[in-house]
Amino acid sequence: MKKTRLLIALLVMLVAASGYAQDSYRQAVKDYVAAIGQFEKEKAYISTMSMMFDRSGNVDIDQLTQRYLDERYEDDMIDCYALAWKEQGMTEADLRELSSLFSTPQYKVFDAHCKEWMVGFVSCMLEPLMESMRNMEEQLESGEYKYKESEYLSRMESPIQPNAEIDAEYAEKFNIVMMKSSLVKTMTDAMFKRMDEGMDCVSIDEPIRKESQEKVKDWMTKSLPAMLLNNAYGNLTLEDLDYAAKLFANETFCKFQNYDPSKTDMESLKNAHAISKYMEWMEEQGAKKSEDPKAFMKFVESLFESINPNN
């Protein structure tokens, strides 16, 4: 009898300890997400996603979206990040160190400059997409849609070159610190992977489209270093590059940056993400996705404007 009571007591303690560890890890994740400002950033994306729903019915899309943000959003975000970081081997101590690091004034200045750098770069990437989508929309409305190479693609005769006004010292330091960093490698690897996946989806009876996509990839591969450098100049300072060199030498930051998709169940992660959860929850509440082909175009335009408000 005493052994049974002891066993029960040990089990209760084990369950309590397990629950505490999970709560403690989730709190570390929450502190980290708050430190990098990710709650507010992705909240804006979800508000933009509401444009994908039909607003002609009896469901108040804006009211439902606000309910999701108030009632579910934060927990879904924490669940997603907890899943990702656990599978990547990030410990609670790692997350707390990153939260402390990302809360420093030096990092916040560097991060703000990095965002300005990325805004310029992403804008350069999105502009041709927007051009192609507008052309396709016009052709769809006239009933004369047929895939053809856009004017933008026809100008891809030579890769982009570094701007002449960029001094040699800056260019050299940028190439050493940023172009060889895991930050840029992770971003470019993901981008080219998406390109390859898009090309794999093109059927063999669409040779013009496949040739165009291969042309884009080749041009992008050759142009990417100059595009990144050109958009960095005037946004990332020499002081930022010095700070980045120290940051990239931090063991925990390197562990955080060296993201390995092979260690993550990407399908589970995608389904756990707040954006996926939001779309699923909205449909459960009676919202219906819009069947208007212009809805997606409006969504992309809105997303583009949110990334580059000065465009």
Side-chain angles (χ1 to χ4, degrees), residues 55 83 98 180 206 218-219 221 271 289:
R55 292 173 177 270
L83 172 64
L98 289 175
K180 296 180 180 180
E206 295 183 84
D218 180 65
W219 179 84
T221 301
N271 293 334
K289 291 180 182 177

Side-chain angles (χ1 to χ4, degrees), residues 18 25 88 108 262 289 311:
S18 174
Y25 191 88
Q88 286 296 310
K108 288 183 177 180
S262 66
K289 291 180 182 177
N311 183 61

Side-chain angles (χ1 to χ4, degrees), residues 137-296:
E137 183 182 17
E138 291 173 1
Q139 293 169 18
L140 284 171
E141 287 183 346
S142 64
E144 299 176 355
Y145 174 71
K146 183 178 180 181
Y147 184 83
K148 64 179 181 179
E149 190 174 273
S150 70
E151 181 183 346
Y152 183 88
L153 289 176
S154 68
R155 297 198 299 266
M156 290 182 174
E157 298 301 328
S158 59
I160 291 177
Q161 299 298 317
N163 291 340
E165 69 269 18
I166 300 177
D167 62 78
E169 179 190 1
Y170 184 94
E172 181 181 10
K173 182 170 286 191
F174 177 84
N175 288 326
I176 291 173
V177 175
M178 302 305 293
M179 291 304 298
K180 296 180 180 180
S181 69
S182 57
L183 177 71
V184 169
K185 183 179 185 303
T186 299
M187 178 187 70
T188 54
D189 285 353
M191 184 177 69
F192 285 120
K193 181 182 178 182
R194 292 296 184 191
M195 283 189 175
D196 289 337
E197 290 172 350
M199 291 172 66
D200 290 341
C201 293
V202 178
S203 62
I204 58 175
D205 60 348
E206 295 183 84
I208 296 177
R209 185 178 176 188
K210 194 171 186 68
E211 183 181 351
S212 295
Q213 289 182 327
E214 288 173 346
K215 186 175 182 179
V216 170
K217 183 179 178 181
D218 180 65
W219 179 84
M220 186 62 66
T221 301
K222 295 175 181 176
S223 298
L224 190 65
M227 290 175 69
L228 287 167
L229 173 62
N230 292 345
N231 284 287
Y233 194 66
N235 288 317
L236 290 178
T237 65
L238 286 171
E239 290 76 14
D240 289 327
L241 296 180
D242 288 336
Y243 176 79
K246 295 178 182 178
L247 186 65
F248 297 158
N250 180 286
E251 185 177 344
T252 302
F253 184 82
C254 289
K255 181 179 178 181
F256 167 73
Q257 285 293 325
N258 292 329
Y259 178 73
D260 184 358
S262 66
K263 295 181 180 179
T264 303
D265 182 344
M266 297 306 293
E267 190 63 27
S268 295
L269 187 59
K270 182 181 73 174
N271 293 334
H273 196 279
I275 290 177
S276 296
K277 291 287 189 182
Y278 162 71
M279 298 296 286
E280 179 183 322
W281 184 85
M282 289 289 284
E283 291 188 77
E284 289 174 354
Q285 307 306 311
K288 294 182 179 180
K289 291 180 182 177
S290 175
E291 296 181 2
D292 183 354
K294 293 183 179 180
F296 181 72

